[in-house]
Amino acid sequence: MLNSVMPGPIDERVRSRILAEARGNPLALLELPRGSTVADMAGGFAPPDAQPLASQIEQSFLARVQALPAATQRVLLIAAAEPLGDVTLLRRAAERLGIGTEAESPALAAELIEFGTRVRFRHPLVRSASYRAATLTDPERGTPRPGRGHRPGLGS
């Protein structure tokens, strides 16, 4: 499983560290190596991460969300805020913000979300990362900042 997400060969010490940090969690095996360079995996000098495993995985998802186009990030934010996974409601809300269904494609390609009969995040931490990415965005872009009492026409 680990080899399927690696950018190249893995130094045995690095492999052992990743396996130990993953603690048998398959999602961690897939997410911890993302964003690592070939040098990191070949026994580079990156210090081990002292964050809890869930934080490391969420950071990986956050980086992937932030790498997406702004419209796609907004689609993820809308999906995160819609608790039922209602695809029709999500698309209606996105349309009201001037966002078409083409904005879904980068999130699908990044394997962060699925749009079927229901919207389904790859993992609950993707939902959390989508909220965190929104709180880090520029309010002038029109992205609501969760938890700040945003109401249309009243600013952030």
Side-chain angles (χ1 to χ4, degrees):
M1 183 181 296
L2 182 59
N3 288 339
S4 71
V5 295
M6 298 311 303
I10 311 168
D11 180 273
E12 198 53 44
R13 294 169 297 174
V14 174
R15 174 188 296 280
S16 295
R17 187 186 89 219
I18 291 171
L19 292 173
E21 288 178 7
R23 295 183 196 110
N25 181 331
L27 179 64
L29 287 175
L30 296 174
E31 293 303 323
L32 288 175
R34 286 191 190 258
S36 297
T37 66
V38 173
D40 293 337
M41 295 299 117
F45 298 100
D49 199 331
Q51 295 181 47
L53 182 60
S55 295
Q56 291 179 52
I57 295 171
E58 185 179 6
Q59 279 301 119
S60 171
F61 285 137
L62 178 61
R64 290 169 60 193
V65 169
Q66 289 176 318
L68 297 171
T72 304
Q73 289 185 42
R74 288 187 197 122
V75 167
L76 288 175
L77 178 60
I78 296 165
E82 201 290 294
L84 301 178
D86 186 323
V87 176
T88 304
L89 185 60
L90 166 75
R91 290 184 173 148
R92 208 175 314 141
E95 183 181 317
R96 290 194 62 167
L97 294 173
I99 301 169
T101 56
E102 68 280 355
E104 298 171 4
S105 296
L108 288 167
E111 299 177 347
L112 294 171
I113 198 166
E114 296 175 4
F115 298 92
T117 55
R118 294 261 173 232
V119 177
R120 191 175 76 78
F121 283 96
R122 173 186 172 112
H123 189 275
L125 289 173
V126 176
R127 180 184 301 269
S128 174
S130 298
Y131 274 118
R132 287 192 52 214
T135 63
L136 300 174
T137 59
D138 179 2
E140 297 302 315
R141 284 189 3 197
T143 304
R145 296 180 67 166
R148 301 249 352 249
H150 178 80
R151 287 187 279 176
L154 297 180
S156 321

